[in-house]
Amino acid sequence: MTSSLNLWLIPVLPLAGAAINGFLGKKSSRTAVTTIQLAFSGASFAWALYVAARFSSVALPYQEYLAHWIRSGPFTADFAFYLDQLTLIMLLVVTGVGFLIHIYAIGYMWEEEGFYRFFAYLNLFMFFMLMLILSNSYLGMFIGWEGVGLASYLLIGFWFTKDSAASAGKKAFIVTRIGDCGFLIALFLLIQHFGSLNFTQVFDRVHPYAAETGGAGFLTAIALLLMLGACGKSAQIPLYVWLPDAMEGPTPVSALIHAATMVTAGVYMVSRSHLIFERSPMALTVVAVIGTLTAFFASTIGIAQTDIKKVLAYSTVSQLGYMFMACGVGAFSAGIFHLMTHAFFKGLLFLAAGSVIHGIGGEQDMRKMGGLRSYIPVTFGTMGIATLAISGIPPFAGFWSKDEILWKAFSSGPAGRVYWLIGLITAFITSFYMFRLIFMTFFSDYRGGHVDEDGQGSHGHDAHGHGEPHESPMVMLVPLMILAFLATVGGLVGIGDRFEHFLAPVFGSGEVAAAAGEAASRGTEFLLMGISITVAILGLVLAYVLYISKPYLPQKIADGLNGFYTAVLNKYYVDEIYARLFVKPLVEGSTRILWHGVDQKVIDNTVNDAADGARKVSDEVRHMQSGNLRSYASWIAAASAVMIAYMIWVGVGR
């Protein structure tokens, strides 16, 4: 009999670190806070590695029951953890990349006020994310889902004295709640139709159902509501608007939450629910369309951004779109493959961007950078590797996973060829704006100025540099080097479909695109691979021409495009449209109805009228207190007469 893996230790360890630093960190030294956060996040990663080492010796799916939770009639829910191939991949990504970011954050946040608070929040986020991926039920997943939303709010708004950071935290919290409402309704429907939220029980009861090809049934409703939740958490159209603003948080937060973990929760949830989605062709189409459109739409916005973190933010939205495109054509393993490689190269991109910001005093505007490769060569080298990876240039990790998605999309049928074409155009745009970032940041001459003696650049809180641009300390560079290695070789696990075979016990025959893909010739696959590589190189070349060879051209093109360029620069005014259509009416409506209507006219008037009534009654009663003995005697006589009359009346009645 297999001994227990004690999966509960993986999330509990960072929770313990959050509690210790949260309650005791204020009175502790920074070294003590650092020791605590590294010890507990590192121990969590070590235990995940131990689970991986034992993985082949346990019967899958492996479940650990910890305690009873809910007992309500036939419905039950327990505190329990669930382990299979998909869980293992997510565990290693979250704890491994998360641990590297914890190390990096020591150097990046060392001078910040609230140092202990930052790491308490960071460890708390790790706890909730691990609960999300380890739970054996949708209810446990939802607890982790809401928890990462809370932790994200705390981390994005870490510099709460900055209005922009506080507003970004609130925006992320509110926008993702819209998706969470859909997720919650989906849970109610699962309980209604299957009487359970346990993965094993739900999926066993879903198996007998045929695909809802004749129309939209309850499985389609559940799948679409789950996708609404995924759109919120994973920043897809129309709920993507919170993620770019979330760049107001410290750069390690951007790397952890908005590249490696939280934003991939929606992809994980859809993949975990693949049996439900496979029985709803309509829902799969919605997933593919939303993912494809998001990938393209966000990439076009990234072209014109000048804030280095905003470029990466829209890149994240776009890459998440690729993952949903894969899920929408039934290639769930390809989506998870890209999720893993994306954690490597996008985590590296954000951390390298933080190293740039750290080295030049907090500046984030790429127009004030340039020529930095001679000042920060390690950061330049590692960020260059990440850029090659995300652009889909072999043999780097992003090439293998992105090419797999495009191939699966092309192989899935006529609609898939449309997804493939849009995905290919998106790959070209991605390569262009990423190499634009590299050329503007690291090439030509340095366009920035000296920072003040106190190290404050244009962004204040994020300013760490002093004097000339300089390389980051080793505590920040070592995580960059490790992630650069993973971004270089991490995609090789997909050669020979090994990654897909590893996940086959989870998705099985659920890879609905597989049959079509098998029918396509191997020659076609290599042709499409060559086209993919070509467009990535063309993006590089175009960026080189515009920003190195002929740097005067971008401004001429912008002037020529005029209104269109302004629209792209302003992100197509989506935030302004949302503010006009939704935010302003809600604020004005709540002011008019809740404040003026309910608060003032109902609550205030009720309280005020009661007070006025009491005052009037007391005013009348006080006139009885005249101080006249003859008046008092009259009142006593009258009262006595009334009492005697009452007693006589009662006696006669008997």
Side-chain angles (χ1 to χ4, degrees), residues 341-381:
T341 60
H342 178 262
F344 299 153
F345 60 71
K346 185 54 65 64
L348 173 55
L349 283 168
F350 270 114
L351 295 187
S355 183
V356 171
I357 295 166
H358 180 279
I360 58 175
E363 183 59 66
Q364 294 181 200
D365 191 335
M366 296 186 297
R367 293 170 297 183
K368 298 179 182 179
M369 298 180 188
L372 292 177
R373 70 185 187 279
S374 60
Y375 294 100
I376 48 176
V378 177
T379 300
F380 165 64

Side-chain angles (χ1 to χ4, degrees), residues 356-495:
V356 171
I357 295 166
H358 180 279
I360 58 175
E363 183 59 66
Q364 294 181 200
D365 191 335
M366 296 186 297
R367 293 170 297 183
K368 298 179 182 179
M369 298 180 188
L372 292 177
R373 70 185 187 279
S374 60
Y375 294 100
I376 48 176
V378 177
T379 300
F380 165 64
T382 54
M383 197 170 196
I385 289 173
T387 300
L388 290 167
I390 192 175
S391 300
I393 294 176
F396 299 94
F399 161 75
W400 304 101
S401 56
K402 188 178 291 188
D403 184 72
E404 182 74 6
I405 291 173
L406 292 174
W407 166 241
K408 293 291 187 182
F410 185 88
S411 305
S412 63
R417 286 165 171 75
V418 177
Y419 305 148
W420 170 81
L421 179 60
I422 297 174
L424 190 69
I425 296 170
T426 302
F428 167 76
I429 298 173
T430 300
S431 177
F432 169 73
Y433 69 67
M434 286 307 306
F435 280 103
R436 167 182 178 265
L437 180 153
I438 290 293
F439 294 142
M440 288 183 70
T441 303
F442 295 101
F443 288 79
S444 299
D445 298 322
Y446 181 52
R447 298 179 293 275
H450 295 286
V451 296
D452 299 334
E453 287 300 317
D454 61 357
Q456 297 295 308
S458 61
H459 290 265
H461 286 287
D462 232 354
H464 302 278
H466 300 274
E468 292 293 330
H470 61 277
E471 190 64 275
S472 299
M474 286 304 296
V475 71
M476 294 171 63
L477 294 181
V478 169
L480 296 186
M481 297 173 188
I482 295 173
L483 286 172
F485 173 76
L486 293 172
T488 302
V489 304
L492 299 180
V493 298
I495 295 179

Side-chain angles (χ1 to χ4, degrees), residues 108 162 164 244-249 251 254 301-315 350 353-354 356-357 362-369 383 433-434 436-437 440-441 458-459 462 565 569 571:
Y108 194 88
K162 286 174 61 179
S164 56
D245 286 18
M247 297 302 106
E248 288 290 340
T251 301
S254 304
I301 298 177
I303 291 175
Q305 299 307 303
T306 56
D307 184 312
I308 189 170
K309 288 175 66 176
K310 287 289 180 70
V311 175
L312 298 180
Y314 283 105
S315 170
F350 270 114
V356 171
I357 295 166
E363 183 59 66
Q364 294 181 200
D365 191 335
M366 296 186 297
R367 293 170 297 183
K368 298 179 182 179
M369 298 180 188
M383 197 170 196
Y433 69 67
M434 286 307 306
R436 167 182 178 265
L437 180 153
M440 288 183 70
T441 303
S458 61
H459 290 265
D462 232 354
Y565 174 79
L569 184 64
K571 300 157 284 189

Side-chain angles (χ1 to χ4, degrees), residues 167-411:
S167 297
K170 288 185 289 185
K171 185 175 182 178
F173 193 80
I174 292 170
V175 172
T176 55
R177 293 290 80 71
I178 297 171
D180 295 352
C181 288
F183 192 179
L184 194 59
I185 296 171
L187 301 192
F188 295 151
L189 289 176
L190 286 170
I191 294 172
Q192 178 186 1
H193 290 282
F194 303 119
S196 176
L197 293 176
N198 179 280
F199 291 147
T200 302
Q201 294 176 5
V202 169
F203 298 153
D204 285 345
R205 293 166 190 175
V206 167
H207 261 297
Y209 287 89
E212 295 177 342
T213 55
F218 77 94
L219 288 174
T220 297
I222 292 171
L224 291 176
L225 288 166
L226 290 175
M227 182 56 189
L228 177 59
C231 283
K233 199 67 75 184
S234 293
Q236 297 294 284
I237 290 174
L239 301 179
Y240 71 93
V241 292
W242 66 270
L243 193 145
D245 286 18
M247 297 302 106
E248 288 290 340
T251 301
V253 174
S254 304
L256 179 64
I257 297 181
H258 308 118
T261 53
M262 173 181 155
V263 292
T264 60
V267 181
Y268 168 74
M269 183 260 280
V270 170
S271 299
R272 176 61 73 193
S273 309
H274 67 96
L275 285 173
I276 297 174
F277 281 88
E278 286 163 5
R279 280 152 182 78
S280 174
M282 179 187 294
L284 280 178
T285 300
V286 169
V287 173
V289 170
I290 287 177
T292 305
L293 292 179
T294 302
F296 175 75
F297 180 77
S299 69
T300 62
I301 298 177
I303 291 175
Q305 299 307 303
T306 56
D307 184 312
I308 189 170
K309 288 175 66 176
K310 287 289 180 70
V311 175
L312 298 180
Y314 283 105
S315 170
T316 297
V317 176
S318 180
Q319 295 304 305
L320 289 165
Y322 268 109
M323 299 175 207
F324 280 103
M325 181 202 299
C327 293
V329 299
F332 298 100
S333 62
I336 297 299
F337 187 22
H338 197 56
L339 182 155
M340 182 189 75
T341 60
H342 178 262
F344 299 153
F345 60 71
K346 185 54 65 64
L348 173 55
L349 283 168
F350 270 114
L351 295 187
S355 183
V356 171
I357 295 166
H358 180 279
I360 58 175
E363 183 59 66
Q364 294 181 200
D365 191 335
M366 296 186 297
R367 293 170 297 183
K368 298 179 182 179
M369 298 180 188
L372 292 177
R373 70 185 187 279
S374 60
Y375 294 100
I376 48 176
V378 177
T379 300
F380 165 64
T382 54
M383 197 170 196
I385 289 173
T387 300
L388 290 167
I390 192 175
S391 300
I393 294 176
F396 299 94
F399 161 75
W400 304 101
S401 56
K402 188 178 291 188
D403 184 72
E404 182 74 6
I405 291 173
L406 292 174
W407 166 241
K408 293 291 187 182
F410 185 88
S411 305

Side-chain angles (χ1 to χ4, degrees), residues 511-525:
E511 300 277 6
V512 296
E518 302 256 340
S521 69
R522 190 57 100 180
T524 303
E525 182 177 2

Side-chain angles (χ1 to χ4, degrees), residues 3-60:
S3 59
S4 174
L5 294 177
N6 293 316
L7 294 175
W8 61 272
L9 281 171
I10 300 176
V12 165
L13 284 166
L15 178 63
I20 294 171
N21 276 336
F23 289 114
L24 304 178
K26 190 173 184 178
K27 297 181 180 179
S28 303
S29 67
R30 291 175 188 254
T31 301
V33 170
T34 296
T35 302
I36 292 296
Q37 66 94 0
L38 283 183
F40 284 96
S41 61
S44 180
F45 176 47
W47 200 261
L49 291 174
Y50 166 75
V51 170
R54 294 274 310 279
F55 187 74
S56 60
S57 65
V58 299
L60 299 174

